[in-house]
Amino acid sequence: MTIWYLQHSGFAVDTGNHLLVFDYYIDLPRGGTLEQGAVTPALLRDKPMAVFASHNHHDHFNPIILEWKRQYPDISLYLGDDIPPREEAKTVPPGLTVEENGLTITALRSTDQGVAFVVECDGNTIYHAGDLNWWHWDGEPEEWNEEMGRSYRRQVDLLAGRKIDLAFLPVDPRLGRTQLWGAEYFLEKVSPSAWVPMHFWEKYGIFAAMEQSPQWPLLSRGLVKLEHRGQKIVLEGG
């Protein structure tokens, strides 16, 4: 697989016979290339393209993807269930599995809004968490934080023992001391072959923080380090 980092939680993944785009956010420069962190559908007509938006937050859903579908009807759009239904797209609520266009798509319930996606394509299984994370905020009531942890663990446990080749996981620095909890639990339970941190608001110091963590042996397994928008990563099979 080949991955391009499109900023924040946005990624493009070339699986060989398909191009998958997740949580596209910043559509600048218009007409830009993947190496600039932008998507231009006209340049990607050589293979089927599927576009996913996990939920309605502005940093995960850019309505420009609806225009792509109008311009190029062969593009497939899949939306989290909190985004108002659109004729151009298919809504994927938690628990639903969709099989079409060479893809098998399953949605998990987010601990924030919308869904996380599990996508099987070209022999690979890709997990994109959206905002499904262990959100533990200092200042929130302890009961709220405890329920958030339980809700997160219930969803991740649904994937325990499942083969995941590539996982995109939130590591939000705003959480402070708990910023890695969600990723650590996922890595313990699921053990993806490779994983990519996201939702870190371009604060690349998160990678240095990981190296200082007591859980670094766990975090380092299959870790893909990001350095800039438009970064291209090639994952070799096996």
Side-chain angles (χ1 to χ4, degrees):
M1 288 183 284
T2 303
I3 306 165
W4 290 266
Y5 177 46
L6 307 180
Q7 195 157 330
H8 196 53
S9 297
F11 296 89
V13 182
D14 187 332
T15 62
N17 297 316
H18 295 79
L19 185 87
L20 314 179
V21 177
F22 294 94
D23 282 13
Y24 190 61
Y25 168 31
I26 298 178
D27 189 42
L28 293 172
R30 284 291 179 95
T33 65
L34 290 171
E35 284 73 16
Q36 293 173 302
V39 173
T40 305
L43 301 177
L44 304 168
R45 288 176 291 181
D46 59 328
K47 61 183 63 183
M49 182 165 147
V51 181
F52 301 83
S54 63
H55 63 289
N56 202 28
H57 287 168
H58 78 282
D59 57 327
H60 293 261
F61 171 55
N62 188 329
I64 191 68
I65 66 176
L66 304 173
E67 294 183 23
W68 297 349
K69 176 68 173 178
R70 296 182 194 115
Q71 295 173 24
Y72 301 100
D74 289 342
I75 293 175
S76 302
L77 296 185
Y78 302 97
L79 307 180
D81 61 339
D82 71 317
I83 301 174
R86 313 286 182 134
E87 288 185 6
E88 305 94 330
K90 178 163 289 187
T91 298
V92 188
L96 181 69
T97 296
V98 175
E99 296 187 27
E100 61 182 22
N101 304 320
L103 308 175
T104 300
I105 303 159
T106 304
L108 301 181
R109 186 179 306 280
S110 178
T111 46
D112 192 346
Q113 287 185 211
V115 301
F117 289 109
V118 181
V119 183
E120 298 176 52
C121 179
D122 296 335
N124 296 301
T125 302
I126 300 163
Y127 170 80
H128 188 284
D131 268 356
L132 173 56
N133 191 27
W134 190 332
W135 300 107
H136 189 288
W137 297 98
D138 289 338
E140 289 288 349
E142 192 57 32
E143 314 84 69
W144 186 93
N145 279 326
E146 288 177 359
E147 178 55 32
M148 179 63 65
R150 285 191 292 269
S151 297
Y152 177 73
R153 294 190 296 270
R154 277 196 298 267
Q155 293 301 304
V156 172
D157 289 350
L158 296 174
L159 299 178
R162 183 167 179 178
K163 172 182 170 287
I164 302 290
D165 297 287
L166 173 62
F168 297 103
L169 306 177
V171 289
D172 196 317
R174 298 175 302 170
L175 292 169
R177 63 185 178 84
T178 68
Q179 61 191 348
L180 300 176
W181 283 11
E184 289 169 356
Y185 188 82
F186 188 95
L187 296 172
E188 287 175 355
K189 289 292 181 177
V190 183
S191 298
S193 299
W195 77 282
V196 185
M198 66 177 187
H199 209 282
F200 54 86
W201 303 99
E202 309 311 294
K203 297 185 184 299
Y204 293 95
I206 191 72
F207 293 96
M210 288 184 201
E211 293 182 11
Q212 299 303 313
S213 168
Q215 294 296 322
W216 175 240
L218 173 67
L219 294 165
S220 64
R221 293 204 305 256
L223 171 65
V224 175
K225 293 186 178 180
L226 298 177
E227 298 175 349
H228 59 85
R229 183 181 177 210
Q231 182 176 342
K232 179 181 178 180
I233 303 108
V234 178
L235 298 180
E236 301 292 345

